[in-house]
Amino acid sequence: MTQDAQDEVDRLVAAWRAERPDLDVEPLQVLSRVSRLAKHLDRARRAAFAEHGLEPWEFDVLTALRRAGKPYELSPGALLRATLVTSGTMTNRIDRLAQAGLVVRRPDPEDRRGVLVSLTPAGLDRVDAAFAGLLRREHELLAGLGAEDQRALAGLLRTLLAPFDS
């Protein structure tokens, strides 16, 4: 789309300006586009994960373990912090991933009461393939922007998100 072409958000903003000229609808210019893009990204993510037999939550846990580096293991507490879920939810997720043969639990040699969750070879293969598939789809979503525009957009979004991440 060229700079002069209109998208659905332009039409939405124009309609709101006509109906509610008393309101500043300018935030819609950015946030409605972010919201629409998030929906496309969610569809792309789900499709990439489904190609590899994974649900989004499975991908989140497996990638947290993968990012930890060899031996690809974390405590359940570290997984909680990485995925922002409750302990009960994490226990259920670990159980389900273990039943699927994607992770194993083992005693923590540093803490007799603790356990570590590790990727199995099957889990490592699955998460690596799903991650590569996700990146292919994300590259497709960004194909309309050159590298410089992608970096600029990333910087602007970082600035916008920073207060929420602290």
Side-chain angles (χ1 to χ4, degrees):
M1 182 182 314
T2 67
Q3 289 288 70
D4 297 331
Q6 282 204 333
D7 66 2
E8 187 60 31
V9 173
D10 291 320
R11 290 183 281 280
L12 179 119
V13 168
W16 277 120
R17 281 189 177 134
E19 292 299 316
R20 291 298 309 268
D22 58 310
L23 294 177
D24 176 9
V25 297
E26 204 56 29
L28 296 175
Q29 294 280 9
V30 174
L31 299 177
S32 288
R33 286 184 175 93
V34 169
S35 177
R36 288 173 176 278
L37 184 59
K39 290 175 186 170
H40 290 289
L41 177 58
D42 184 57
R43 279 190 222 118
R45 289 173 58 89
R46 288 180 182 280
F49 305 153
E51 284 176 359
H52 301 283
L54 294 174
E55 293 292 329
W57 67 265
E58 292 171 309
F59 182 82
D60 289 345
V61 175
L62 296 175
T63 55
L65 292 166
R66 181 64 169 98
R67 288 189 312 269
K70 284 188 177 181
Y72 311 118
E73 64 185 10
L74 293 170
S75 69
L79 282 170
L80 284 174
R81 289 185 293 281
T83 60
L84 304 174
V85 297
T86 66
S87 61
T89 297
M90 183 53 66
T91 298
N92 180 276
R93 289 179 176 186
I94 293 168
D95 288 346
R96 291 173 64 185
L97 289 167
Q99 289 169 353
L102 301 175
V103 302
V104 293
R105 286 184 177 94
R106 69 175 189 87
D108 184 343
E110 308 284 319
D111 176 2
R112 280 197 250 171
R113 295 172 294 152
V115 297
L116 294 172
V117 180
S118 306
L119 282 177
T120 63
L124 179 62
D125 289 346
R126 182 93 57 96
V127 73
D128 280 352
F131 185 57
L134 173 62
L135 289 175
R136 274 192 305 278
R137 289 175 183 270
E138 289 184 350
H139 280 289
E140 290 169 8
L141 282 173
L142 293 171
L145 296 177
E148 188 174 318
D149 285 341
Q150 288 182 35
R151 284 190 294 278
L153 180 58
L156 292 169
L157 291 171
R158 183 180 304 110
T159 300
L160 192 60
L161 285 170
F164 298 101
D165 289 343
S166 53

